[in-house]
Amino acid sequence: MKVLVAVKRVIDYNVKIRVKADHSDVDLTNVKMAMNPFCEIAVEEAVRLKEKGVATEIVAVTVGPKAAQEQLRTALALGADRAIHIETDERAESLAVAKLLAKVVDEEQPGMVILGKQAIDTDNNQTGQMLAALTNLPQGTFASEVAVDGDKLHVTREIDGGLQTVALTLPAIVTTDLRLNEPRYAKLPDIMKAKKKPMDMKTPADLGVEVASKVSLLKVESPAERKGGIKVASVDELVDKLKNEAKVL
Amino acid sequence: MSILVLADLHEGQLAGATAHVVAAAEAIGGDIDVLVAGEGVQAAAEAAAKLNGVTKVRVADNVVYAHQLAEPLSALLVELADDYTHVLASASTTGKNVLPRLAALKDVSQLSDIIAVDSADTFKRPIYAGNAIATVKSDDALKVITVRTTGFDAVSEGGSGSASIEAVDVVVENSQSSFVKEELAQSDRPELGGAKVVISGGRGMGNGENFKLLDGIADKLGAAIGASRAAVDAGFVPNDMQVGQTGKIVAPELYIAVGISGAIQHLAGMKDSKVIVAINKDDEAPIFQVADYGLVGDLFEILPELESNI
Ligand SMILES: Cc1cc2nc3c(=O)[nH]c(=O)nc-3n(C[C@H](O)[C@H](O)[C@H](O)COP(=O)(O)OP(=O)(O)OC[C@H]3O[C@@H](n4cnc5c(N)ncnc54)[C@H](O)[C@@H]3O)c2cc1C
Ligand SMILES: Nc1ncnc2c1ncn2[C@@H]1O[C@H](COP(=O)(O)O)[C@@H](O)[C@H]1O
C-alpha cells in the first residue's frame, strides 16, 4: 500500500525560544529549525512498514515556506520515495493543513496516512484528527504500536489511564506518540541520493484551499518567570522549610 | 451563550477533569449543558448533574459510544452542536482525540489547551512547550475548545442534583473503528492530574525496582507518582506516568522531582506547581533553576532519610 507521511518544519526542540519585544509572536530569526520530532517518528514508521513489505511507496508532504523543502529532503534521505511541497508563506493553521492534506489524499489514494500527534511549536495536536474527519476515515491517534492485520489496522494508543487498542478499517489515519519507534539518522550516501528523488511543487491555490484562518493571534507573552529558590543543606532543613515556610506538609 | 461540555469518563465514572471544564465554561458565561456519552453511564450523569453551574445533563447511553471512540462521538457531537455557541472538553486524551474531529466536521478551527478565558471569543493558551503564552481570538460561529484543567479551579458539587437529566436518542453508526482492548494502570494512589502532591522520578532512579523508594514517601504524603520521559522510555514505569509537554500537565501544591535534570519538555508539565523541590546529585542541573528548594546529593541516601523524617 501507499503510505503518505506529513512532516512539519519547526523550531529545533533543544532551542529555548524568545518572545518578540512587540509581543506579536515568537522570534524565529536565526533560530535552528528541524523536522518536528513526532514527524521523524512518522517517517520512521513508514520506512519500517516498507521494510516489512507492507508499504510499497512512501510519499512525504509538507505545507510551508520554501525552506521547508529541507525537511522533505530529510524525509527522502530517511527512505521516502518522493515528496510534495505545498508552498505558502502564510501561517497555515491545523484546519488549513488538514484541508490541503485531504486534497492530497484524494489525489494519491494512500492506504495509510501517518502524522505526528503534535507539532512542538503550536502544541495543537489536531491535524491528524481533522484530516480523518475531512476524508471520512477512521483515526488511530497517539499510537505506540501499529500492526496491519488482514484488512484491519490495529493501533495501540497511549491514553491517560494506560493503553488502548482499536481496530480500524483501511485506509486509516495514524498519529504517532513518542514510543512508537526510535527514528534512525540519515546516512551521508542517502542524503546524496535524496537530492535526486522527485519533489512536486503545488500551491494552496492549485488545490483550491483558502489558508487564512478565522483565528487571529492577538498577542504572545512570556510566561510568568519562576524565581529560582534556595538550596538546602540537609533533609532536616528541607522538611523544616516545607513544614514551616512553604506550609505544604 | 450556550455551552456544551463533553464529560470525561474514567472506567465509566465521571472523571475529576469535568468539574474544571465546567469552571472554564462558567468563565465564558451562559447556559452550561454537559454531555455524558458512553455505555452504562447513568451514575456518571447523576454525578455531573450535581456539579454547580450545570443547567442540564444530556445522556447518550448506547453501546456505540462505549470507550468514547472518536468516530461515533464526533458524529454525535455534530448532531448536537447546532444548539450551542461553544463545545468544550478537557485536554485529556479523549478530548484531544474527539474535538478536532468535531471541529473539522463543522468546518471551524479548534483551540487546544486553553488556560484562561479573556472573553467569550478570546482565550489564552500555552505554545512552544509553555515557553510562550498566546492570546487568540476566534471568529468562528462555533468555538470548539479543549481546556487545560490546571488553568481552572474545579466547580464544587451542589449536592442537590439540581440540573435536569435528559436522554439523547441520537444513535450513530460506526463501522470504521472498534475497541479491541485496554490495559489500564491499577493504582490506589490519587490521579496524577488531580493530586495535591506529586513525586516524580527520572532516569536517575536507575531502574524500575528503585521507584519503590518513592512509594513510602507517596504513601505518607498521599501523593501521586510521576516520571520523566527518560524513565518511561527506559521502561522503569508505564507511559501514563509521564509528566511534561507531551505527557500529563500537573500543578500540585507540592512537586518533588527526584533524579530529573529539568529539560524544557519536563518543565512544561510541572512548572506551574506551587512549591517545587528538586533532589539531584548534579548541582548544575537545570531543575534547580525552577525549584523553590533544591537538595544536592545522592537520591539513594536522601529518599530513605526523607521518608523517615516526614
Ligand atoms: C518531542 C519531545 C517531547 C518530549 N516530551 C517530554 C515530556 O513530556 N516529559 C519529559 O519528562 N521529557 C520529555 N522529553 C524528553 C526530555 O527532552 C528529556 O530527555 C527528559 O525529560 C530527561 O529525563 P530525565 O531528567 O529523567 O533524564 P536525564 O536528563 O538523564 O537526567 C537524569 C538526572 O538524574 C540525576 N541523577 C542521576 N543519578 C542520581 C542519583 N543517584 N542521585 C541524584 N540524582 C541523580 C542526574 O544528575 C540528572 O540530572 C521530550 C523530548 C522530545 C524530543
Ligand atoms: N504545515 C504542515 N505541513 C505538514 N504537516 C503538518 C503541518 N502542520 C501539521 N502537520 C502534521 O500534523 C501533525 C500534528 O500537528 P498539529 O496538529 O499542528 O499539532 C504534525 O506532526 C505533522 O505530521
Side-chain angles (χ1 to χ4, degrees):
Chain A
M1 77 169 89
K2 190 193 284 187
V3 176
L4 199 67
V5 185
V7 300
K8 184 176 186 190
R9 174 182 174 86
V10 297
I11 189 166
D12 183 272
Y13 82 98
N14 275 315
V15 174
K16 179 119 173 59
I17 56 111
R18 272 170 294 109
V19 168
K20 282 185 185 167
D22 67 0
H23 295 299
S24 60
D25 207 341
V26 161
D27 193 354
L28 293 182
T29 34
N30 298 323
V31 163
K32 186 174 172 213
M33 303 294 280
M35 189 190 295
N36 184 40
F38 290 98
C39 301
E40 289 178 349
I41 297 169
V43 174
E44 175 68 31
E45 196 61 20
V47 173
R48 289 186 191 190
L49 286 170
K50 195 169 172 195
E51 286 167 350
K52 280 188 213 148
V54 175
T56 47
E57 188 187 22
I58 303 170
V59 184
V61 195
T62 197
V63 178
K66 188 146 205 92
Q69 288 183 9
E70 277 171 39
Q71 280 61 50
L72 286 179
R73 289 290 168 205
T74 305
L76 292 168
L78 289 168
D81 298 292
R82 59 191 173 86
I84 302 173
H85 178 208
I86 304 172
E87 191 176 345
T88 175
D89 289 324
E90 273 187 80
R91 190 168 52 94
E93 290 281 351
S94 296
L95 181 62
V97 173
K99 285 181 182 175
L100 292 164
L101 294 176
K103 295 287 184 189
V104 176
V105 168
D106 229 26
E107 282 174 11
E108 297 282 343
Q109 297 291 318
M112 196 188 303
V113 187
I114 314 180
L115 303 89
K117 82 162 175 182
Q118 165 177 350
I120 60 160
D121 48 4
T122 61
D123 282 332
N124 265 352
N125 194 333
Q126 304 174 356
T127 309
Q129 297 88 314
M130 289 181 155
L131 175 63
L134 298 175
T135 52
N136 192 26
L137 293 176
Q139 64 192 52
T141 52
F142 329 143
S144 64
E145 208 183 313
V146 174
V148 178
D149 181 14
D151 59 351
K152 289 275 171 67
L153 184 69
H154 281 241
V155 180
T156 303
R157 308 179 51 232
E158 298 205 353
I159 60 169
D160 288 337
L163 296 171
Q164 178 189 67
T165 307
V166 290
L168 309 176
T169 54
L170 287 165
I173 312 288
V174 171
T175 76
T176 63
D177 217 316
L178 291 170
R179 275 163 291 276
L180 182 57
N181 61 50
E182 186 139 355
R184 68 194 74 186
Y185 292 99
K187 294 195 210 77
L188 193 58
D190 293 331
I191 295 172
M192 300 312 289
K193 266 189 255 162
K195 291 185 177 152
K196 296 205 184 74
K197 289 188 179 175
M199 189 182 298
D200 258 2
M201 315 290 179
K202 290 181 196 298
T203 64
D206 295 341
L207 296 167
V209 173
E210 186 68 61
V211 172
S213 142
K214 288 218 167 75
V215 173
S216 37
L217 183 61
L218 301 185
K219 190 164 63 178
V220 176
E221 297 159 288
S222 293
E225 271 295 319
R226 257 199 110 90
K227 297 188 262 33
I230 56 161
K231 293 245 173 77
V232 292
S234 66
V235 170
D236 282 341
E237 190 187 347
L238 175 64
V239 173
D240 175 63
K241 293 279 187 201
L242 291 176
K243 276 193 176 139
N244 301 314
E245 193 175 89
K247 301 196 196 313
V248 286
L249 285 190
Chain B
M1 233 67 70
S2 54
I3 303 167
L4 182 65
V5 169
L6 173 66
D8 249 287
L9 302 177
H10 184 68
E11 299 193 44
Q13 301 299 310
L14 189 72
T18 307
H20 296 264
V21 182
V22 171
E26 283 196 317
I28 294 168
D31 285 342
I32 302 169
D33 290 357
V34 174
L35 172 66
V36 180
E39 187 190 19
V41 289
Q42 206 56 39
E46 281 159 26
K50 292 202 175 81
L51 295 177
N52 275 325
V54 175
T55 316
K56 185 164 71 187
V57 175
R58 306 182 73 175
V59 196
D61 201 330
N62 191 285
V63 61
V64 75
Y65 306 122
H67 308 290
Q68 301 200 304
L69 299 185
E71 298 79 9
L73 218 49
S74 55
L76 169 65
L77 283 163
V78 166
E79 297 290 321
L80 305 181
D82 289 343
D83 295 342
Y84 300 96
T85 55
H86 297 70
V87 177
L88 268 54
S90 88
S92 63
T93 45
T94 304
K96 287 176 178 166
N97 195 30
V98 175
L99 258 57
R101 190 166 175 118
L102 164 69
L105 291 171
K106 298 297 291 179
D107 194 24
V108 297
S109 294
Q110 194 238 254
L111 301 177
S112 296
D113 270 287
I114 64 158
I115 54 167
V117 173
D118 283 3
S119 72
D121 62 10
T122 305
F123 309 90
K124 286 195 164 57
R125 56 176 304 263
I127 53 176
Y128 292 89
N131 289 304
I133 308 294
T135 304
V136 290
K137 178 169 183 286
S138 164
D139 291 322
D140 278 317
L142 176 70
K143 273 88 172 158
V144 181
I145 297 170
T146 63
V147 175
R148 183 172 287 194
T149 51
T150 54
F152 300 87
D153 289 335
V155 295
S156 56
E157 286 183 21
S160 57
S162 55
S164 60
I165 301 181
E166 182 179 284
V168 174
D169 50 19
V170 180
V171 177
V172 301
E173 298 233 337
N174 177 27
S175 55
Q176 292 187 315
S177 62
S178 57
F179 173 82
V180 177
K181 64 175 183 193
E182 226 158 46
E183 292 159 55
L184 298 181
Q186 296 303 332
S187 161
D188 299 331
R189 299 193 187 287
E191 200 197 326
L192 251 182
K196 291 219 155 30
V197 180
V198 174
I199 181 163
S200 292
R203 198 198 307 269
M205 297 300 294
N207 58 45
E209 187 66 19
N210 291 336
F211 262 73
K212 291 208 176 106
L213 292 168
L214 304 180
D215 281 340
I217 300 171
D219 285 343
K220 282 192 164 171
L221 298 178
I225 299 183
S228 71
R229 176 189 168 194
V232 175
D233 272 356
F236 301 174
V237 291
N239 67 280
D240 53 275
M241 288 171 67
Q242 180 179 318
V243 170
Q245 179 187 17
T246 53
K248 296 226 167 76
I249 310 286
V250 301
E253 299 280 303
L254 173 61
Y255 187 89
I256 308 175
V258 186
I260 292 178
S261 61
I264 50 175
Q265 293 85 8
H266 189 77
L267 300 185
M270 45 64 77
K271 71 180 161 53
D272 293 327
S273 304
K274 195 156 155 261
V275 175
I276 296 174
V277 169
I279 298 169
N280 197 304
K281 69 176 180 191
D282 170 10
D283 68 352
E284 307 249 290
I287 190 78
F288 288 121
Q289 291 163 21
V290 299
D292 299 280
Y293 304 107
L295 182 53
V296 180
D298 186 350
L299 67 92
F300 296 104
E301 286 163 22
I302 291 171
L303 289 177
E305 198 184 334
L306 183 61
E307 182 181 340
S308 60
N309 278 26
I310 49 176

